[in-house]
Amino acid sequence: MKLADLHPRQILVALDQIDAAAPSWQMPRPQALRRVVAVLATVSVSLLILHYAKFATNLQGLLQWLGEWRGTSYLQQLEASGWLELAGYLWWTGCHLFTFILLPWLVIRWVFKERMHDFGWRWNQVGEHWRGYLLLLSPILVFVVLVSQGEDFVHHYPFYRSAGRSWLDLLLWELLYLSQFVFLEFFFRGFMLNALRPALGANAIWVMCVPYMMIHFPKLWLEATGAILFGLFLGILALKSRSIWGGVLVHAGVALSMDVAALLKKGQVPGSFFPF
């Protein structure tokens, strides 16, 4: 992909190219109808479960119940150890793994009778489209530098408040945080796009952009607004490259830069590897 291909004036041309190439529109109407129903039902159930299950309070309630049942104060022990907040993010990441990977995999394997590899899980042609991904990432990094000067930004990032306590905290947090982006990219740019494309052609990208934008509502309004174009460009690149991994790298670059910028601004760069 050339840089010119991602110019705003070329968006419809890129969508036309995707629409005209296989496997767009290759399903007969009855099969396409059933494919759309299966995909959007899976998306709806996955997002519904994630929205209500991902909160750390659910983990705390579970630990409280287990503690009362077993006669052991698991919640109090975890809190006293200093790892309760990170355990909450482990729960949060696990909920993303269940809803964004496991549930779609079950549908791909048992309903579509297809393979995960065919839904963008492989590297494929990411290297051929590196200019497009770089073009997408570069202005965002500049934007991160600019907004990192604001108080809202430094209060919002990193999500894990103890990320600057030690290098171990920071590494564990980033492992959880970046894993979530792998799950997210597969769900939106892997599962949704590749499952809907044979039924809806390039329209699969626009269908994907709606829930992708909506999951950004709890974040800063600029992020939610940018998610519309971000989702569109990543959708085009994912179908061009037939892979989710370029999007994973872009997300990882943005996330790491935001966390590092916030830690530098707050003067909270870790000074030791272990917290205690």
Side-chain angles (χ1 to χ4, degrees):
M1 174 175 284
K2 300 177 182 178
L3 294 182
D5 293 337
L6 284 180
H7 189 283
R9 295 179 181 176
Q10 297 298 316
I11 293 299
L12 292 179
V13 174
L15 292 173
D16 285 339
Q17 292 172 349
I18 291 170
D19 213 43
S24 295
W25 303 107
Q26 291 197 336
M27 284 186 170
R29 290 187 64 179
Q31 187 180 357
L33 172 63
R34 285 156 180 77
R35 174 61 68 97
V36 172
V37 169
V39 172
L40 295 187
T42 305
V43 170
S44 298
V45 171
S46 295
L47 292 177
L48 183 67
I49 294 173
L50 179 65
H51 179 75
Y52 290 102
K54 66 183 179 182
F55 299 106
T57 52
N58 291 318
L59 172 63
Q60 295 171 12
L62 177 60
L63 291 174
Q64 187 70 37
W65 177 79
L66 286 174
E68 293 173 356
W69 178 49
R70 298 294 301 272
T72 304
S73 55
Y74 294 119
L75 181 59
Q76 288 76 12
Q77 290 175 9
L78 191 57
E79 185 173 14
S81 72
W83 295 106
L84 179 60
E85 185 185 4
L86 191 64
Y89 281 112
L90 176 61
W91 172 272
W92 174 76
T93 304
C95 288
H96 282 83
L97 174 63
F98 176 74
T99 55
F100 282 178
I101 298 292
L102 180 59
L103 292 183
W105 173 77
L106 291 173
V107 173
I108 291 169
R109 176 68 179 83
W110 300 105
V111 178
F112 301 159
K113 309 295 184 183
E114 297 180 37
R115 302 178 304 168
M116 286 275 284
H117 281 179
D118 298 323
F119 286 73
W121 200 251
R122 292 180 288 190
W123 185 255
N124 285 325
Q125 283 83 48
V126 172
E128 298 176 16
H129 300 277
W130 66 270
R131 293 179 182 84
Y133 288 109
L134 182 62
L135 177 65
L136 193 59
L137 178 61
S138 298
I140 297 175
L141 293 181
V142 174
F143 177 75
V144 168
V145 173
L146 295 176
V147 300
S148 64
Q149 307 304 312
E151 292 299 317
D152 285 345
F153 181 88
V154 297
H155 289 155
H156 200 71
Y157 296 101
F159 296 152
Y160 177 42
R161 291 171 296 177
S162 299
R165 182 174 61 172
S166 70
W167 286 109
L168 181 60
D169 281 279
L170 183 58
L171 290 173
L172 290 174
W173 158 243
E174 296 299 343
L175 177 63
L176 295 175
Y177 194 28
L178 299 185
S179 295
Q180 177 258 160
F181 288 120
V182 177
F183 308 153
L184 179 145
E185 280 299 314
F186 173 75
F187 186 74
F188 288 102
R189 257 72 67 177
F191 173 65
M192 282 196 73
L193 287 187
N194 289 284
L196 289 174
R197 184 181 179 183
L200 300 178
N203 290 317
I205 297 175
W206 296 110
V207 173
M208 173 274 297
C209 283
V210 176
Y212 179 68
M213 180 269 294
M214 294 177 72
I215 67 170
H216 288 77
F217 282 164
K219 299 187 178 183
L220 301 176
W221 70 270
L222 282 172
E223 279 191 69
T225 304
I228 302 172
L229 287 177
F230 200 57
L232 173 63
F233 287 133
L234 282 179
I236 292 173
L237 285 166
L239 290 184
K240 289 279 189 177
S241 65
R242 299 190 298 120
S243 175
I244 66 168
W245 293 105
V248 171
L249 292 177
V250 170
H251 261 120
V254 173
L256 283 172
S257 65
M258 293 173 84
D259 280 358
V260 170
L263 289 173
L264 289 172
K265 180 67 174 179
K266 292 187 286 189
Q268 294 182 1
V269 177
S272 61
F273 185 80
F274 295 104
F276 308 117

